[in-house]
Amino acid sequence: MTAVALKSHLTSPLMARLIPYLALFGGMMTLACGTSFAKTLFPVIGAQGTTAYRVGLSAVILVAVFRPWRFRLTRADLGAVALYGVVLGAMNLSFYMSLRTIPLGLAIAIEFMGPLTLALLHSRKAVHFVCIGFAVLGLGLLLPLKQGVGALDPVGMALAAFAGLCWALYIVFGKRLSHLHAGQSVALGMSVAAMVVVPFGVAHAGMALLNPAIVLAGVAVAIFSSALPYSLEMVALRAIPKRTFGVVLSAEPAVGALAGLVILHEHLTGQQWLAIAAIVAASVGAIATTREPQTGPEPV
């Protein structure tokens, strides 16, 4: 294929429609694979050290790119940024801590319960109660009510659930910052999150964090589990309607489960796959049938 033909193919109407969706799926795959790779660092620096790398390096990158000090903040804005950053840091740390004992796909599915509950909090339509039923079914299939093959660690499940609560609070506090420059709010929020998370990483891993090989791995974690997937999602958001974006993104627990299977050899039982399917169905149904807000942008 000549260069002219290739350029014509890439700029065709069909490719213009496909590229945003390819970017979104690429972002989900990159995030799942980056998180799977991050889990391989747990034996060396623990979940705390790995989270410190992800959040700390992401904060450095975001501050360098957006230079948030260029924009003025009121005292109320500073308080809102602090709350936003604290829940962002707690969400990352508790999620990575949950991965120590439960598979990636199941941790994501449990974490999804936070924003899903928030979306269904003011349910009025009959279909929303169907979504709640699917979510309860999925969570019920995961609860460690009996021991044996496939039983999940209660502590790991509790940490993933706490990450879901923090995710819901992240959305609530993020909306309070919708009047600020998006780059400024996310850079400052991630900086606060780093101040929350990095001390845990240093206390747990100590000098191991300064090992050159581990530093390079930490940079890879920050890029492939934060910078690259979020950049691809931003490309997708420019061309995909918010509702469609959310529906597609609801497949993330399944994508995470597949990445965990391929990279980490985390085999799930049939019941656990059914639980993921139920939670994904609840998320898709909730997003597809909920009216989009008319004012204020979504948090970054």
Side-chain angles (χ1 to χ4, degrees):
M1 183 180 292
T2 66
V4 174
L6 178 61
K7 182 178 180 180
S8 175
H9 178 70
L10 291 176
T11 55
S12 67
L14 176 61
M15 283 304 297
R17 290 194 298 269
L18 283 178
I19 285 175
Y21 289 93
L22 293 174
L24 180 54
F25 279 109
M28 286 194 291
M29 288 299 301
T30 305
L31 178 60
C33 292
T35 306
S36 297
F37 173 71
K39 192 170 179 176
T40 65
L41 298 181
F42 287 9
V44 184
I45 57 174
Q48 300 93 323
T50 308
T51 311
Y53 269 132
R54 180 189 182 185
V55 175
L57 292 175
S58 295
V60 171
I61 293 170
L62 288 168
V63 167
V65 170
F66 292 111
R67 294 175 289 170
W69 58 84
R70 295 179 300 161
F71 307 94
R72 296 183 62 183
L73 293 172
T74 66
R75 182 174 296 181
D77 290 336
L78 289 172
V81 166
L83 289 172
Y84 175 73
V86 167
V87 297
L88 178 58
M91 177 179 69
N92 278 273
L93 181 59
S94 56
F95 178 73
Y96 269 47
M97 294 282 283
S98 75
L99 293 180
R100 297 177 302 173
T101 55
I102 64 176
L104 173 61
L106 299 181
I108 296 175
I110 295 170
E111 188 189 29
F112 254 66
M113 297 300 292
L116 178 57
T117 301
L118 184 65
L120 295 172
L121 200 57
H122 302 289
S123 301
R124 293 293 183 270
K125 300 178 181 178
V127 68
H128 289 165
F129 292 96
V130 175
C131 296
I132 292 172
F134 273 105
V136 171
L137 171 64
L139 191 58
L141 291 172
L142 295 178
L143 289 175
L145 300 178
K146 60 181 180 178
Q147 299 300 316
V149 178
L152 297 181
D153 172 50
V155 175
M157 290 190 67
L159 286 166
F162 181 71
L165 172 63
C166 291
W167 191 352
L169 292 174
Y170 161 84
I171 294 171
V172 172
F173 294 143
K175 287 183 181 295
R176 297 181 184 179
L177 300 175
S178 60
H179 62 287
L180 300 179
H181 182 275
Q184 178 194 28
S185 60
V186 73
L188 291 176
M190 192 66 78
S191 299
V192 174
M195 288 188 280
V196 171
V197 168
V198 170
F200 286 94
V202 172
H204 179 81
M207 295 301 294
L209 292 173
L210 300 180
N211 184 317
I214 300 300
V215 170
L216 288 176
V219 172
V221 167
I223 292 174
F224 289 101
S225 65
S226 290
L228 185 55
Y230 295 157
S231 298
L232 289 171
E233 286 180 6
M234 288 302 295
V235 171
L237 269 172
R238 292 175 182 172
I240 300 176
K242 286 183 181 179
R243 181 173 296 173
T244 305
F245 181 91
V247 168
V248 176
L249 201 64
S250 295
E252 201 165 87
V255 173
L258 291 173
L261 175 64
V262 173
I263 299 173
L264 301 171
H265 308 294
E266 294 177 339
H267 295 274
L268 306 183
T269 66
Q271 181 172 307
Q272 290 170 344
W273 279 109
L274 182 60
I276 288 176
I279 292 172
V280 168
S283 182
V284 170
I287 294 168
T289 59
T290 300
R291 181 179 299 176
E292 294 183 8
Q294 299 300 313
T295 58
E298 292 296 313
V300 176

